[in-house]
């Protein structure tokens, strides 16, 4: 089967950083699905895993943790899907990625694809949707049925992949009052289109900007951009007994003591946790992806495709990685077809 992989961890402008390769088609066992991959999207995790380092792979490593396609075969213990089902999923970072014609994935982290979307539209959603859903509803404890209606949330980095779906979930399911951050007019417009009532600039003074719109404190903070840089500001603006969730790993120590007097909560979200540790509630990702598909088909949520870069090959994947590393992407970068 065709695939895109690497053996050396190189700068993305090096043609050998990602190369077109041929690999054997895998065979499903246990609860695995063999998916014929029709479209993929690229996330910051891909660029972080591929980042230059002094390491060489004995056999090519395939990246990619966002895919949509059709079930081509099933393992003997599969109960949730059948051959021919259109599916979408993010997969597990502990297994080979989906930048290949066929891909194995555990059915418990796979969802039935929205019927109203094509494969490219569906491939944009899984990783960021799982991340945003878990961050908002599992980690921050926000009620997805509107039980926290009217409470406020600051989403730092609203125009990226996770922010693009988090704004929708916070507005259309939780009915929160949303302040998103964006640093350019185009990304600010994108946040407003998705449902943010206010947009401020995370490269400027966040507390001062919140004061200027009459919201000196917020009940929740979802940090999707540079935890080290923004932690002092979000610790300042989170309300007493409020909650902060981040998905961006810190480079240095965070001063958690800033939260003590407020009895405020800080929590991480890492969407690979359930698959990585095979947690007892691993199937929650199947459930939430299927529910999101229902919401997409009902018109409540929309895909977050920013740009479709063409077919799945090494040239286009290198281009996608370069765009993500440039830090100016709006929505998701998608590739479709081999």
């Amino acid at each position: 089967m065709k695939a895109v992989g690497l053996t050396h961890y190189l700068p993305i402008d090096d043609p050998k950083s990602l190369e077109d390769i041929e690999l054997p088609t895998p065979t499903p066992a246990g609860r695995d699905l063999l998916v014929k991959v029709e479209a993929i999207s690229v996330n910051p995790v891909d660029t972080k895993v591929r980042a230059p380092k002094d390491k060489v792979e004995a056999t090519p490593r395939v990246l990619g943790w966002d895919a949509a396609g059709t079930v081509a075969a099933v393992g003997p213990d599969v109960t949730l899907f059948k051959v021919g089902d259109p599916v979408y999923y993010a997969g597990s970072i502990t297994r080979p990625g989906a930048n290949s014609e066929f891909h194995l994935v555990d059915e418990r982290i796979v969802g039935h694809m929205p019927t109203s979307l094509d494969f490219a539209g569906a491939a944009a959603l899984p990783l960021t949707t799982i991340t945003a859903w878990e961050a908002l509803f599992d980690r921050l404890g926000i009620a997805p049925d509107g039980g926290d209606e009217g409470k406020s949330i600051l989403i730092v980095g609203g125009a990226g992949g996770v922010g693009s779906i988090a704004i929708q979930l916070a507005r259309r399911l939780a009915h929160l009052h949303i302040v998103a951050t964006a640093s350019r007019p185009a990304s600010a417009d994108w946040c407003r289109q998705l449902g943010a009532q206010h947009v401020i600039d995370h490269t400027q003074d966040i507390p001062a900007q919140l004061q200027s719109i009459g919201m000196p404190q917020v009940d929740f903070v979802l940090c999707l951009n540079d935890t080290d840089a923004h932690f002092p500001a979000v610790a300042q603006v989170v309300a007493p007994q409020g909650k902060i969730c981040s998905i961006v790993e810190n480079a240095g120590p965070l001063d958690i003591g800033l939260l003590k007097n407020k009895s405020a909560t800080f929590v991480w979200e890492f969407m690979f946790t359930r698959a990585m540790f095979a947690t007892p509630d691993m199937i929650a990702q199947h459930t939430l992806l299927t529910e999101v598909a229902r919401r997409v088909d009902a018109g409540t949520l929309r895909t977050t495709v920013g740009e479709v870069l063409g077919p799945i090959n090494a040239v286009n994947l290198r281009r996608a990685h370069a765009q993500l590393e440039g830090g100016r992407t709006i929505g998701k970068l998608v590739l479709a077809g081999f």
Side-chain angles (χ1 to χ4, degrees):
M1 66 177 182
K2 294 179 181 178
V4 178
L6 62 83
T7 53
H8 294 70
Y9 295 84
L10 302 167
I12 199 58
D13 58 0
D14 190 317
K16 293 187 176 181
S17 60
L18 291 169
E19 298 184 287
D20 293 310
I21 58 176
E22 290 281 340
L23 294 173
T25 300
T27 301
R31 298 192 71 171
D32 276 347
L33 309 176
L34 178 67
V35 177
K36 183 180 186 297
V37 175
E38 300 290 351
I40 61 170
S41 70
V42 185
N43 295 282
V45 64
D46 299 63
T47 67
K48 292 173 184 176
V49 172
R50 195 221 77 250
K53 58 181 73 72
D54 190 17
K55 181 180 179 181
V56 177
E57 300 289 348
T59 57
R61 182 177 185 181
V62 177
L63 309 181
W65 294 280
D66 247 346
T70 305
V71 177
V74 299
D77 300 325
V78 167
T79 61
L80 302 173
F81 299 92
K82 63 182 185 304
V83 172
D85 283 347
V87 295
Y88 73 142
Y89 59 91
S92 170
I93 200 167
T94 61
R95 303 182 69 176
N99 295 343
S100 56
E101 280 189 283
F102 293 91
H103 183 236
L104 290 179
V105 61
D106 190 298
E107 66 169 346
R108 289 170 289 182
I109 55 175
V110 176
H112 292 279
M113 200 177 96
T115 59
S116 58
L117 296 180
D118 60 12
F119 289 111
L125 289 172
L127 185 145
T128 51
T129 298
I130 294 169
T131 301
W133 184 289
E134 291 182 347
L136 294 172
F137 306 137
D138 295 347
R139 313 303 175 216
L140 291 174
I142 298 166
D145 59 359
D148 290 303
E149 182 171 1
K151 290 185 179 180
S152 56
I153 185 168
L154 171 66
I155 299 177
V156 182
V162 177
S164 296
I165 191 67
I167 290 172
Q168 296 183 65
L169 293 173
R171 179 69 183 269
R172 299 173 189 174
L173 274 65
H175 305 297
L176 301 184
H177 194 90
I178 303 164
V179 181
T181 79
S183 59
R184 295 177 291 132
S187 52
D189 287 345
W190 175 265
C191 291
R192 292 188 187 95
Q193 291 169 23
L194 294 172
Q197 288 97 333
H198 300 280
V199 181
I200 62 176
D201 187 342
H202 54 254
T203 68
Q204 305 299 318
D205 188 326
I206 288 176
Q209 292 176 88
L210 287 175
Q211 283 277 3
S212 72
I213 61 174
M215 295 179 63
Q217 294 185 327
V218 291
D219 298 299
F220 306 103
V221 177
L222 177 55
C223 184
L224 310 174
N225 176 281
D226 198 341
T227 302
D228 295 272
H230 296 304
F231 188 79
V234 300
Q236 180 179 337
V237 302
V238 72
Q241 302 183 88
K243 297 180 180 181
I244 300 168
C245 178
S246 180
I247 70 167
V248 182
E249 63 270 27
N250 54 309
L254 301 177
D255 186 2
I256 300 297
L258 294 173
L259 304 178
K260 182 180 184 299
N261 288 346
K262 292 182 177 180
S263 297
T265 298
F266 177 79
V267 63
W268 292 109
E269 159 58 18
F270 186 53
M271 63 79 53
F272 290 118
T273 296
R274 283 176 160 132
M276 178 181 289
F277 295 99
T279 60
D281 65 347
M282 184 172 163
I283 201 169
Q285 292 190 348
H286 162 73
T287 302
L288 79 83
L289 284 173
T290 300
E291 173 62 13
V292 166
R294 186 183 72 80
R295 301 272 187 165
V296 170
D297 290 337
T300 307
L301 301 173
R302 54 172 271 195
T303 184
T304 55
V305 174
E307 186 177 0
V308 179
L309 298 179
I312 303 167
N313 58 42
V315 169
N316 287 335
L317 269 170
R318 290 197 299 269
R319 180 182 163 200
H321 278 233
Q323 284 189 224
L324 278 179
E325 289 180 347
R328 297 174 68 84
T329 301
I330 297 175
K332 293 295 294 291
L333 300 175
V334 176
L335 289 74
F338 277 89

